[in-house]
Amino acid sequence: NDATCLVGDALPPEGHSEAANEPFLWAAIITFGGIVKTFFGDHVTQADEMVSHGPNCTTKIFVSSPSGVIDVFMKGMSCFAAARETGQKKYMKVAKQLRAKIKKWSTAKNPNVKRYELLLDAEMMALKGKQKKAIKLYEEAIILSARSGCQQDAAFASERLGGFFF
């Protein structure tokens, strides 16, 4: 069984094709399937889907929704990770677009995206080979996530920092 595949009793395979006619359901499948892929480290698959669908595919549907913010962040993380894993520039291009979207929200004083901005900045520095800056940003993201009560984000940032050292 593939833990990253959103198919089961509640959503049989034919549900995916039916979702193509329901934009909100389609966006939810793309978003939550992507979150699972990112958390399970299936970054290249997640990034390939992002490249094929485009960086704005779900935010147009999830306007002003927390799901849209999480979707942009997770897809950005996977695109940066895929760029590091494969060296392919197509992932870096999309990662930068998603990072810019998070930065825009942070500049607009959205208090819920600063930890995401720090972690995406850390991934960018890691990709550029700027080790000291990357470590500092990973640590800031971990601290801010933990202090904000977002333990899952602190754990994810810690995992990404650990992976950076290998």
Side-chain angles (χ1 to χ4, degrees):
N1 287 338
D2 179 4
T4 64
C5 183
L6 294 183
V7 173
D9 293 339
L11 184 62
E14 58 273 9
H16 284 266
S17 57
E18 291 172 13
N21 299 322
E22 298 290 334
F24 195 79
L25 180 56
W26 175 83
I29 290 170
I30 297 295
T31 296
F32 295 108
I35 290 169
V36 171
K37 286 178 183 85
T38 300
F39 276 139
F40 278 90
D42 193 2
H43 300 297
V44 174
T45 301
Q46 167 73 319
D48 281 336
E49 289 177 7
M50 183 80 271
V51 168
S52 72
H53 294 302
N56 297 315
C57 67
T58 57
T59 52
K60 290 178 182 177
I61 296 166
F62 287 137
V63 177
S64 301
S65 168
S67 296
V69 173
I70 294 166
D71 184 55
V72 169
F73 167 67
M74 290 291 182
K75 285 177 173 38
M77 289 298 297
S78 279
C79 286
F80 274 120
R84 278 178 42 202
E85 287 175 27
T86 68
Q88 293 187 30
K89 293 183 187 220
K90 66 180 180 179
Y91 300 132
M92 177 65 151
K93 180 182 176 185
V94 175
K96 285 181 175 180
Q97 292 172 330
L98 296 166
R99 179 176 163 259
K101 193 173 287 203
I102 293 285
K103 283 199 165 294
K104 180 180 173 185
W105 292 332
S106 181
T107 301
K109 305 296 184 211
N110 180 336
N112 299 312
V113 299
K114 185 64 180 175
R115 65 189 182 278
Y116 297 154
E117 179 185 17
L118 290 168
L119 194 47
L120 289 169
D121 287 349
E123 290 288 320
M124 172 79 97
M125 293 300 109
L127 188 59
K128 290 183 173 184
K130 297 183 178 184
Q131 293 183 341
K132 287 183 181 181
K133 184 67 175 168
I135 292 167
K136 181 180 182 287
L137 288 164
Y138 280 122
E139 290 172 346
E140 287 179 27
I142 293 164
I143 291 167
L144 182 59
S145 296
R147 286 184 180 163
S148 301
C150 300
Q151 302 308 321
Q152 74 284 357
D153 294 332
F156 185 55
S158 297
E159 180 182 318
R160 295 300 301 159
L161 174 58
F164 171 72
F165 287 121
F166 293 102

